[in-house]
Amino acid sequence: MTFSARQLNRATLDRQMLLRREPVDVLTAIERVMAIQAQEPPSPYIALWNRIEGFDPADLDDAFTSGAVRKASLMRITLHAVTAADHEVFHHAMLPALRASRLNDRRFRNMGLTIERADEVLTHVLEFAAQPRTKPELEELLHSHVGEVGEPGLWWALATYAPLVRVPTGGPWAFGPRLSFQTAVIEPRERMAALAELLRRYLTAFGPATIPDMNQFTMLPRATIREALELLELVREGHYYDVPNQTIPDEDTPAPPRLMAMWDSTLLAYADRSRIIPEQYRKVVIRNNGDTLPTLLVDGHVAGVWRPHEDGGIEATAFHALSKRQWAGLAEEAKALHKFLGDREPQVYRRFARWWTGLPADHVRIL
């Protein structure tokens, strides 16, 4: 058996809760989709709005505040929102890559510090951050231990691989510009077992998938991924791996329109982005610096981008002509999204407006 492109697309939409909004709580939803990319504070909220029936953003506020959901650097060395239980596993699975991304970097070597010295200082950071600490407070502590080491500074390294989580500081989306951190309680785990569990969770949330897909999602070496996969009981079809007893929706399963958050994980989880993003749109949606724009999903695939319009409503830019029915479906979603944003931040993502320069202007509507 081989999977058709539409079967793979529908499998992703199904497991990512995008074929229908489901009546589940925040923790269940985040666990099911595995992780939500979260470097832009509104994105986890918009991601869950797309997936949970009757989503109340206060529920995610409470989950961040209580620590039931943690925001930390994980896959692809970027911020993700994950459950506390998953954070413990994913941190151990990703730790070698997180450390290497900084300690093997010439910017760290140019500081004149040894890795042993950085780890020694880290113990003081973790003790100090047992209570929430701001970035300036942590940088001051580091300066007291190592002095002036130049740019980008030791905090740049430690903040990436230390077991620290972001602490909510207020604002419309829980995390404002004044960053605060706290040490996360993480029990010791065997690294390869943790990585195997991460890959199992990835396949549950994004499968069927290939080793290049898992490499793209984690940025871990393919040989390491293969070694961890040997610890799992999986099914395999050609190059595709999956967890047992998962069904694949029919390729003609209807896919409702969606207005996706920036950096939604479905757009970044595969080496072959055409599962969700048609190849001709990939460089328009994922910019050279990695910014991944808020997108329109039509029939399960990216068909354009959206942003709030300064005079109200949602400005939708389609990359090709859409039918009246498709526009009507997007308009219904946009009306609900506009209300959702209006309660918190009507002009969300406005600092990314530069990316709309040069977009196709033939199919733009204010919804």
Side-chain angles (χ1 to χ4, degrees), residues 80-366:
H80 283 78
V82 298
T83 67
D86 280 346
H87 177 243
E88 292 201 32
V89 176
F90 299 167
H91 175 79
H92 284 295
M94 294 302 306
L95 185 56
L98 296 174
R99 284 174 61 87
S101 73
R102 296 300 184 254
L103 300 180
N104 293 343
D105 191 292
R106 63 173 177 78
R107 288 171 287 182
F108 174 79
R109 295 196 296 270
N110 289 343
M111 294 179 198
L113 298 172
T114 65
I115 292 175
E116 292 75 17
R117 179 60 174 147
D119 285 340
E120 178 186 333
V121 173
L122 176 58
T123 62
H124 298 287
V125 170
L126 297 181
E127 291 173 1
F128 183 62
Q131 300 298 321
R133 305 292 183 180
T134 65
K135 178 183 175 184
E137 288 174 331
L138 290 162
E139 289 179 321
E140 182 179 352
L141 175 71
L142 291 173
H143 189 270
S144 72
H145 282 279
V146 299
E148 182 59 54
V149 295
E151 294 297 330
L154 185 54
W155 172 247
W156 160 82
L158 297 186
T160 297
Y161 69 83
L164 297 168
V165 297
R166 299 288 180 98
V167 177
T169 55
W173 310 106
F175 298 90
R178 186 172 180 269
L179 302 181
S180 183
F181 302 82
Q182 188 169 14
T183 301
V185 177
I186 297 180
E187 297 297 327
R189 289 175 183 266
E190 199 277 320
R191 193 279 170 122
M192 288 307 295
L195 178 53
E197 176 60 13
L198 182 151
L199 295 176
R200 186 192 69 80
R201 300 278 287 101
Y202 168 82
L203 291 171
T204 302
F206 293 101
T210 65
I211 287 177
D213 292 330
M214 293 177 244
N215 163 257
Q216 171 62 38
F217 183 77
T218 62
M219 294 301 179
L220 295 175
R222 296 184 185 188
T224 304
I225 291 171
R226 289 189 182 94
E227 182 181 350
L229 290 176
E230 292 296 322
L231 301 178
L232 298 172
E233 293 185 8
L234 301 174
V235 295
R236 187 171 175 181
E237 296 286 348
H239 296 298
Y240 290 94
Y241 294 81
D242 205 355
V243 293
N245 303 317
Q246 285 280 9
T247 59
I248 306 296
D250 292 336
E251 59 182 34
D252 59 355
T253 300
R258 289 288 183 262
L259 278 67
M260 305 287 278
M262 287 195 75
W263 287 285
D264 195 280
S265 294
T266 54
L267 308 184
L268 302 167
Y270 305 101
D272 182 1
R273 303 287 172 80
S274 67
R275 186 183 290 216
I276 299 289
I277 310 173
E279 178 58 28
Q280 66 268 33
Y281 303 149
R282 179 174 57 84
K283 291 184 178 180
V284 181
V285 170
I286 303 175
R287 311 304 297 198
N288 288 337
N289 72 340
D291 285 349
T292 303
L293 303 186
T295 53
L296 308 174
L297 284 194
V298 175
D299 191 29
H301 292 84
V302 169
V305 295
W306 66 268
R307 62 177 175 173
H309 191 266
E310 59 185 9
D311 295 329
I314 300 294
E315 177 186 306
T317 300
F319 297 154
H320 56 258
L322 302 178
S323 69
K324 289 184 179 180
R325 180 182 59 82
Q326 289 169 333
W327 276 118
L330 289 171
E332 185 176 349
E333 288 291 304
K335 181 179 179 180
L337 178 60
H338 179 62
K339 182 179 185 305
F340 178 78
L341 296 177
D343 293 336
R344 297 218 167 194
E345 187 183 8
Q347 293 300 310
V348 71
Y349 299 143
R350 60 187 177 277
R351 71 187 183 92
F352 298 96
R354 66 189 182 278
W355 295 129
W356 269 255
T357 302
L359 287 181
D362 294 339
H363 308 290
V364 180
R365 295 192 184 187
I366 309 302

Side-chain angles (χ1 to χ4, degrees), residues 26-47:
V26 162
L27 291 182
T28 299
I30 294 177
E31 183 178 12
R32 282 182 55 179
V33 302
M34 183 187 176
I36 301 175
Q37 196 137 332
Q39 66 263 48
E40 201 58 24
S43 287
Y45 290 83
I46 299 173

